[in-house]
Amino acid sequence: MDAIPRDYDERCLFDAFCKTVLRNEAQNYFRDMKRRRDREVSLGSLSQTDLDKLFTVDHYPSDSFTFSSHGCDLHIDNELVAEAFAALPSLEQSILILHCVLELADGEIGSLVGMSRSAVQRHRTKTLSELRKQLKALMPKGG
């Protein structure tokens, strides 16, 4: 009988190793797919409450009104709020933009617009109060 070449034994071992690895990969794949199937739910079986949670809202620059001050932009989506804000003098707009968007303190806003901290605070609270009154007047009763 002829002797079996050594490289034949190595090839057989390598082939056996490859088959074992592939079998394990296949088992892992099928186990993972079963786990996913067990977790997945058909959209048809969801309640209306759950379906209502599955949505997204796209925001486009053209859908909002933009007001700028000191390189900072304030985007307002509501047309009534934007109209009320646009009616404000530019100084009050700047103060509110810096306060609401950049969250600057009154003293920091004052140094940017050339006013004292207390003057900025007075302008800000008075302007917000006026805006609140204007918007409440526009809201439907009970809203």
Side-chain angles (χ1 to χ4, degrees):
M1 256 196 175
D2 293 327
I4 299 174
R6 183 172 179 212
D7 64 335
Y8 178 79
D9 289 338
E10 289 175 0
R11 277 189 305 213
C12 287
L13 286 174
F14 182 72
D15 288 348
F17 173 75
C18 289
K19 287 178 183 178
T20 302
V21 169
L22 290 174
R23 188 179 322 105
N24 289 340
E25 286 294 321
Q27 288 173 346
N28 289 341
Y29 172 77
F30 287 120
R31 204 175 304 128
D32 186 49
M33 293 308 290
K34 181 185 180 315
R35 194 176 311 120
R36 286 184 186 199
R37 276 193 310 274
D38 291 345
R39 289 184 186 172
E40 289 177 356
V41 177
S42 169
L43 287 175
S45 66
L46 291 177
S47 67
Q48 187 60 43
T49 306
D50 292 332
L51 284 173
D52 290 341
K53 296 176 187 175
L54 303 175
F55 70 91
T56 183
V57 177
D58 293 334
H59 292 282
Y60 300 101
S62 61
D63 292 343
S64 66
F65 301 87
T66 304
F67 299 91
S68 298
S69 176
H70 294 83
C72 185
D73 292 339
L74 172 66
H75 301 279
I76 300 177
D77 294 334
N78 186 294
E79 188 174 352
L80 293 175
V81 175
E83 286 177 15
F85 194 84
L88 296 173
S90 62
L91 178 64
E92 277 77 5
Q93 285 183 7
S94 293
I95 290 172
L96 290 181
I97 290 170
L98 295 172
H99 175 75
C100 296
V101 178
L102 293 181
E103 298 179 0
L104 295 179
D106 292 339
E108 296 170 312
I109 295 171
S111 64
L112 286 173
V113 297
M115 298 172 72
S116 68
R117 181 204 56 79
S118 59
V120 169
Q121 191 265 335
R122 279 193 310 275
H123 277 276
R124 181 176 49 78
T125 54
K126 178 179 158 250
T127 304
L128 285 173
S129 177
E130 289 174 7
L131 274 176
R132 200 172 290 116
K133 285 180 193 172
Q134 287 178 9
L135 294 173
K136 275 188 178 183
L138 296 173
M139 288 182 67
K141 297 295 180 202

